[in-house]
Amino acid sequence: MIDHRLQMLRMISHHGTVTAAAQALNYTPSTVSQQIKQLSRELDVTLLSRHGRQVRLTAAARTLLTHADILFAQWERARAELDAHVEEVSGTLALAGFSTAAGVLLPATMTSLTERFPQLRTQAIEAEPAECYDLVLSGTADLAVVVVTPTTPSTSDPRFEQRHLIDDPLDLLVPLDHPLARLPEVPLAEAASEPWIVARSGTTYHQLVMTACASAGFTPQIAHYSNEWETGTALVSQGFGVCLVSRLARWSHHHPVVRIPLCGDPAPTRTVLAVTNAGAASRRPLSHALETLADNADTLITSTGGN
């Protein structure tokens, strides 16, 4: 097994503070600090330097992390090869995902995993994209479905294997009697003067909508805030505004609305990835989960149209 203190150091590097790293790993900050100090003494190098209340990784720590990333990836590859010697896959496989993925992609994937591996227990974790990466890196989740944002790790990050699942277009949601409802597609700028329903500030979806509107040349007039599709759809159906909705999104039909595909340049689209730790994707249950996710995502995107 790999020294658990290397995982602590990786999480400090990922989060930037001992406190946040400890929280992600379910340790106390003092425990993490003591463990890293002990590792420093054993290696006879300084790993963390203090700058006021902050700590920074030293050059020695970054050298060690380069090797740690290789070790963790190789460990995952070893687990994948050992799968060939296991007749019945068991244990727990945790899948994390942002809200839409957690609702429309993870349940079907978990069902498929249960059918394929009857002794395997699955667990779903709904989380924002940035937290999904934390969950994978800490080992709390084995796989995560995320939306790429400016704050998520680069696809070239050696700690992760990130597979493109789909490009998820955003559609405009309007009331049934809205003047735009009869059109097959519209440019986003056509909704510039509308009252808008957006997610609360600080969420990935709020950032996505604001960026899309800015690219279309306007700042949305925010009338209401809703983080849930069901609430947003209810508000739209009653004429309280319009909103952008993921092509993947599903909701009940209690609140009839019209979904209109967006056209023009830019037509806002979000990139959806499946993320595992480097070297882990070849493990039998993860390989099956990745294949199922890709198939289901593609089916959902192609089967959903406007109006």
Side-chain angles (χ1 to χ4, degrees):
M1 297 291 289
I2 301 174
D3 194 317
H4 68 282
R5 295 171 298 183
L6 292 179
Q7 182 69 307
M8 291 180 175
L9 191 64
R10 292 178 97 207
M11 296 303 288
I12 293 172
S13 175
H14 184 68
H15 286 281
T17 68
V18 170
T19 300
Q23 183 177 6
L25 292 169
N26 294 317
Y27 288 115
T28 64
S30 61
T31 297
V32 172
S33 293
Q34 291 169 8
Q35 290 292 303
I36 296 301
K37 287 178 181 177
Q38 184 183 52
L39 182 61
S40 292
R41 288 194 296 269
E42 291 178 12
L43 297 176
D44 198 25
V45 294
T46 300
L47 296 174
L48 298 177
S49 60
R50 185 166 293 280
H51 297 262
R53 295 184 178 181
Q54 302 294 318
V55 295
R56 296 179 186 172
L57 274 70
T58 64
R62 298 198 178 281
T63 297
L64 181 59
L65 282 174
T66 299
H67 292 280
D69 290 341
I70 295 171
L71 284 171
F72 278 97
Q74 194 59 39
W75 170 248
E76 293 291 356
R77 293 186 187 100
R79 293 182 66 187
E81 291 187 18
L82 288 172
D83 273 354
H85 303 279
V86 177
E87 292 186 7
E88 190 70 48
V89 174
S90 60
T92 300
L93 194 77
L95 291 80
F98 63 99
S99 58
T100 305
V104 302
L105 290 176
L106 295 191
T109 301
M110 293 164 63
T111 297
S112 182
L113 282 165
T114 300
E115 292 172 350
R116 176 67 179 81
F117 307 106
Q119 301 303 314
L120 181 69
R121 178 177 176 267
T122 57
Q123 181 183 57
I125 306 172
E126 183 178 341
E128 285 284 300
E131 186 183 0
C132 283
Y133 282 93
D134 295 347
L135 293 171
V136 170
L137 189 62
S138 68
T140 303
D142 298 282
L143 181 152
V145 181
V146 304
V147 173
V148 175
T149 74
T151 59
T152 53
S154 164
T155 54
S156 62
D157 192 313
R159 300 171 299 173
F160 304 105
E161 182 169 336
Q162 305 186 61
R163 296 190 181 188
H164 179 270
L165 280 181
I166 47 164
D167 291 319
D168 180 23
L170 299 184
D171 298 325
L172 182 67
L173 216 61
V174 301
L176 292 177
D177 59 355
H178 194 280
L180 297 177
R182 65 182 182 276
L183 300 178
E185 59 182 17
V186 297
L188 181 56
E190 286 294 313
S193 62
E194 300 287 341
W196 277 79
I197 301 158
V198 302
R200 296 183 67 182
S201 179
T203 63
T204 300
Y205 198 63
H206 177 92
Q207 181 184 40
L208 186 67
V209 171
M210 299 303 287
T211 300
C213 292
S215 298
F218 70 95
T219 299
Q221 303 172 31
I222 300 174
H224 307 281
Y225 292 93
S226 170
N227 288 356
E228 301 296 331
W229 297 129
E230 189 72 20
T231 304
T233 305
L235 290 168
V236 171
S237 70
Q238 295 299 314
F240 287 105
V242 302
C243 71
L244 289 184
V245 62
S246 156
R247 187 70 56 84
L248 280 176
R250 298 294 186 272
W251 54 82
S252 70
H253 296 288
H254 298 304
H255 312 295
V257 293
V258 176
R259 182 200 293 257
I260 311 172
L262 294 170
C263 61
D265 186 19
T269 299
R270 58 184 187 174
T271 300
V272 180
L273 306 176
V275 180
T276 63
N277 279 309
S282 296
R283 289 170 52 196
R284 267 195 288 169
L286 284 176
S287 178
H288 181 82
L290 288 165
E291 182 178 347
T292 303
L293 278 169
D295 289 345
N296 289 343
D298 185 64
T299 298
L300 285 169
I301 287 293
T302 56
S303 65
T304 303
N307 295 307

